[in-house]
Amino acid sequence: MGSTTEQGASGHVDRVADYYDDNTRRFLMVAESPGSDAIHRGVWTPDVANSAEAMDTVNRLMIERLRDYVPQGSARVLDLGCGVGATMVRLAHEVDGFISGVTISRVQAEIAAKRFARDGLTDRCHVICADFAELLPAEPRYDAMVAVEAVVHSPSLENLLPSLVDRLRPGGRLILCDDWMTEKDRGLAARERCLDQFRAGWRIGSLHTVAELVAMSERAGLRMVEDLDLTSYCASVGHATAWSSWPWVPQP
């Protein structure tokens, strides 16, 4: 439930690509913290003092959960739906290794590549313009994968998760920060209309409850190690969804 049909998957992916090609530069201009290059929401945890820190909260939380779990000097981290590379740059400064990112948007990939060159990070940061559900066989296995407001664009999260597990090294981590539907969103006409508008406006392909996510992830061979609900700290989150960070590791 909540996924686009298989027959419409290809068209949905094209619509997501067109959406970000058309709107990325606009998003950067009207971001909560202009100049941050972050397209995701700001997260105003109690320790945050300004919009720049709010936009960095998710990055900080992910880094805290990765630092002790990736090998120093040789770590390989993949950012799924990497946007223009802001999170990749942040990771490169904190994780000693190689950071790859994948975006469906040609415009985003071009902006990211220019930023890496400007910041002297081309030897450690690499962006791929592709559908993250179709990573090439030549891509390596990763010590960690992160995704911020990205996997909801997938036509089928249930099909995506096993492909991500195949790319994780044993003991690797997958961190998802995204929108999840709540049980109270179901059955009420007004909420259903809100969800339909949300799906259409943001080109959402997979919107699931937490319970559905847990079940799909366990079937794919993942084990949840933490559930961090960030909804109350996100000023722009609509009432129909919950926004959470989910670290997972492959099941032994």
Side-chain angles (χ1 to χ4, degrees):
M1 182 174 180
S3 296
T4 53
T5 63
E6 184 174 336
Q7 293 83 354
S10 177
H12 175 76
V13 170
D14 290 341
R15 287 191 293 275
V16 173
D18 290 343
Y19 177 75
Y20 282 106
D21 281 346
D22 293 342
N23 292 290
T24 289
R25 289 186 172 86
R26 183 185 311 162
F27 290 155
L28 294 174
M29 288 189 295
V30 300
E32 289 185 49
S33 179
S36 68
D37 282 351
I39 297 175
H40 58 254
R41 301 180 182 98
V43 179
W44 293 80
T45 49
D47 55 337
V48 165
N50 52 55
S51 60
E53 291 183 6
M55 297 305 289
D56 189 56
T57 297
V58 169
N59 294 333
R60 174 175 55 79
L61 293 173
M62 291 192 299
I63 288 166
E64 290 172 357
R65 285 151 180 79
L66 292 179
R67 189 175 281 125
D68 295 333
Y69 291 93
V70 295
Q72 293 299 303
S74 61
R76 288 193 175 275
V77 180
L78 178 64
D79 184 354
L80 301 158
C82 66
V84 299
T87 292
M88 293 176 63
V89 170
R90 185 75 163 83
L91 289 169
H93 288 307
E94 298 289 341
V95 175
D96 188 6
F98 304 92
I99 316 298
S100 297
V102 57
T103 173
I104 196 71
S105 166
R106 174 189 54 80
V107 170
Q108 290 185 344
E110 291 173 355
I111 294 173
K114 290 177 182 177
R115 175 167 185 172
F116 302 152
R118 184 181 72 237
D119 293 354
L121 291 170
T122 53
D123 58 333
R124 295 184 54 218
C125 292
H126 171 63
V127 63
I128 308 160
C129 185
D131 179 357
F132 53 46
E134 299 180 1
L135 294 175
L136 298 176
E139 282 300 299
R141 298 185 79 183
Y142 294 92
D143 299 293
M145 295 180 181
V146 301
V148 181
E149 297 183 35
V151 297
V152 288
H153 291 305
S154 171
S156 172
L157 185 55
E158 182 150 28
N159 291 339
L160 174 65
L161 287 169
S163 72
L164 300 183
V165 173
D166 288 342
R167 291 294 178 190
L168 274 177
R169 289 177 177 168
R173 287 205 159 194
L174 170 65
I175 299 180
L176 307 180
C177 302
D178 227 313
D179 294 282
W180 311 107
M181 186 165 58
T182 63
E183 291 294 344
K184 67 181 181 181
D185 294 326
R186 289 179 164 153
L188 296 176
R191 288 186 179 273
E192 292 289 352
R193 286 195 297 272
C194 181
L195 288 171
D196 288 343
Q197 292 169 358
F198 178 68
R199 291 187 183 98
W202 287 98
R203 311 304 190 268
I204 301 300
S206 295
L207 189 60
H208 294 276
T209 65
V210 169
E212 290 168 344
L213 173 65
V214 170
M216 287 186 290
S217 298
E218 289 179 348
R219 287 195 294 271
L222 293 169
R223 174 174 56 86
M224 185 181 71
V225 296
E226 184 181 7
D227 166 20
L228 180 61
D229 189 350
L230 302 173
T231 308
S232 62
Y233 304 122
C234 301
S236 60
V237 173
H239 68 273
T241 57
W243 205 70
S244 302
S245 173
W246 288 82
W248 302 82
V249 296
Q251 294 184 13

